[in-house]
């Protein structure tokens, strides 16, 4: 046998063997697909034939027209809004009533004094909002003295007229404008008030004339509802 015929017969036998192997693989593949199809045909869902059941809400839906449903919705929204507004108003009102000054505090806010009980040339001290208030029933000579001063030369320039509503009555806080001591009446170099703490002298109009105090004694808010009555505050 020649070499060429030997190699030809070898190639033919290899090709035959490969064809046999391919047929066997195809048969095996078809067999496994058949098994899969068989198992698929027999699959049973654990949730039954229908997995999603939609409930029936028809008995809850309104039988009325859409317009009447809208009216009802608007009515409910409006009613709730009104109730909320009333509640909010009551809450704010209660809060403001609680925060406002009580009757005893309001009573302290104003003090009424009968002027008939204060003789001319005398001082009276009353307490108002926790502070002393000096009330002086001034004589005519004291009024003249207060007006003689050239106010432009004073440390805290004020005329006597600016400090009183009625020249006979001088009303001012009894608190030294230096460090808050209570000055002594009818004392000092100017016949008015003297603060012994650090030596401030106030004149008969309560203006600072000497010493460390920077300002005149403060004049509070007051009025005369009648000729014989003074109300401070
Ligand atoms: S507190 Fe009146 S002089 Fe100092």
């Amino acid at each position: 046998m020649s070499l060429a015929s030997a190699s030809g017969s070898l190639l033919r036998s290899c090709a035959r063997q490969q064809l046999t192997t391919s047929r066997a693989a195809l048969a095996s593949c078809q067999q496994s697909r058949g098994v899969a199809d068989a198992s698929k045909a027999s699959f049973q869902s654990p949730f039954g034939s229908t997995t999603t059941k939609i409930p029936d809400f028809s008995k809850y839906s309104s039988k009325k027209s859409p317009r009447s449903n809208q009216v009802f919705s608007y009515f409910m929204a409006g009613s709730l809004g009104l109730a909320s507004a009333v509640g909010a108003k009551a809450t704010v009102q209660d809060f403001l009533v609680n925060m406002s000054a009580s009757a005893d505090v309001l009573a302290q806010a104003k003090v009424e004094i009968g002027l008939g009980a204060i003789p001319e040339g005398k001082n009276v001290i009353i307490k108002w909002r926790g502070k002393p208030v000096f009330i002086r029933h001034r004589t005519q000579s004291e009024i003249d003295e207060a007006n003689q001063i050239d106010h432009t030369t004073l440390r805290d320039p004020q005329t006597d007229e600016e400090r009183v509503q009625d020249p006979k009555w001088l009303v001012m806080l009894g608190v030294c404008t230096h460090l808050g001591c209570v000055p002594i009446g009818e004392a000092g170099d100017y016949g008015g008030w003297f603060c012994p703490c650090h030596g401030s002298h106030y004149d008969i109009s309560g203006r600072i004339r000497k010493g460390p105090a920077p300002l005149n004694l403060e004049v509070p808010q007051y009025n005369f509802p009648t000729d014989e009555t003074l109300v401070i505050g």
Side-chain angles (χ1 to χ4, degrees):
M1 187 187 291
S2 68
L3 185 61
S5 65
S7 62
S9 64
L10 182 62
L11 279 174
R12 272 193 298 277
S13 86
C14 279
R16 221 176 283 127
Q17 202 173 351
Q18 239 180 359
L19 186 62
T20 312
T21 312
S22 300
R23 276 184 189 151
L26 184 63
S28 154
C29 183
Q30 279 177 341
Q31 196 178 358
S32 60
R33 193 190 297 168
V35 170
D37 287 348
S39 67
K40 195 175 178 183
S42 64
F43 174 76
Q44 289 284 320
S45 170
F47 303 108
S49 59
T50 313
T51 54
T52 307
K53 265 195 159 183
I54 297 174
D56 180 13
F57 292 112
S58 62
K59 75 172 183 176
Y60 300 109
S61 66
S62 174
K63 306 288 181 290
K64 296 177 186 167
S65 69
R67 182 70 194 151
S68 62
N69 287 338
Q70 261 183 348
V71 169
F72 179 71
S73 300
Y74 292 153
F75 171 74
M76 287 305 291
S79 304
L80 284 174
L82 188 67
S84 306
V86 170
K89 182 197 165 252
T91 306
V92 171
Q93 200 169 16
D94 286 353
F95 176 74
L96 291 178
V97 167
N98 281 335
M99 292 301 288
S100 61
S102 57
D104 57 330
V105 173
L106 284 176
Q108 276 188 354
K110 284 182 187 284
V111 175
E112 187 175 312
I113 301 113
L115 297 175
I118 307 173
E120 199 177 55
K122 291 290 175 196
N123 283 338
V124 163
I125 303 175
I126 60 138
K127 195 175 162 190
W128 173 69
R129 294 184 185 173
K131 294 175 184 170
V133 176
F134 296 158
I135 303 167
R136 171 105 184 152
H137 189 171
R138 296 194 300 188
T139 62
Q140 188 56 49
S141 65
E142 288 171 345
I143 296 167
D144 294 342
E145 186 190 329
N147 282 308
Q148 277 168 7
I149 310 298
D150 178 8
H151 72 280
T152 57
T153 61
L154 301 178
R155 186 179 300 165
D156 183 10
Q158 263 189 322
T159 61
D160 186 61
E161 226 172 62
E162 288 175 283
R163 295 181 53 78
V164 293
Q165 292 182 26
D166 179 344
K168 280 194 295 180
W169 298 103
L170 176 65
V171 182
M172 54 195 184
L173 294 184
V175 180
C176 180
T177 57
H178 180 221
L179 291 176
C181 295
V182 178
I184 300 164
E186 298 176 0
D189 294 354
Y190 298 89
W193 286 263
F194 172 63
C195 183
C197 303
H198 309 93
S200 289
H201 298 252
Y202 298 91
D203 67 12
I204 197 63
S205 189
R207 296 172 294 198
I208 182 65
R209 302 292 293 275
K210 193 169 148 188
L215 299 169
N216 302 332
L217 292 176
E218 186 184 340
V219 176
Q221 199 176 27
Y222 68 92
N223 61 70
F224 298 100
T226 67
D227 287 348
E228 291 296 304
T229 315
L230 166 68
V231 173
I232 301 173

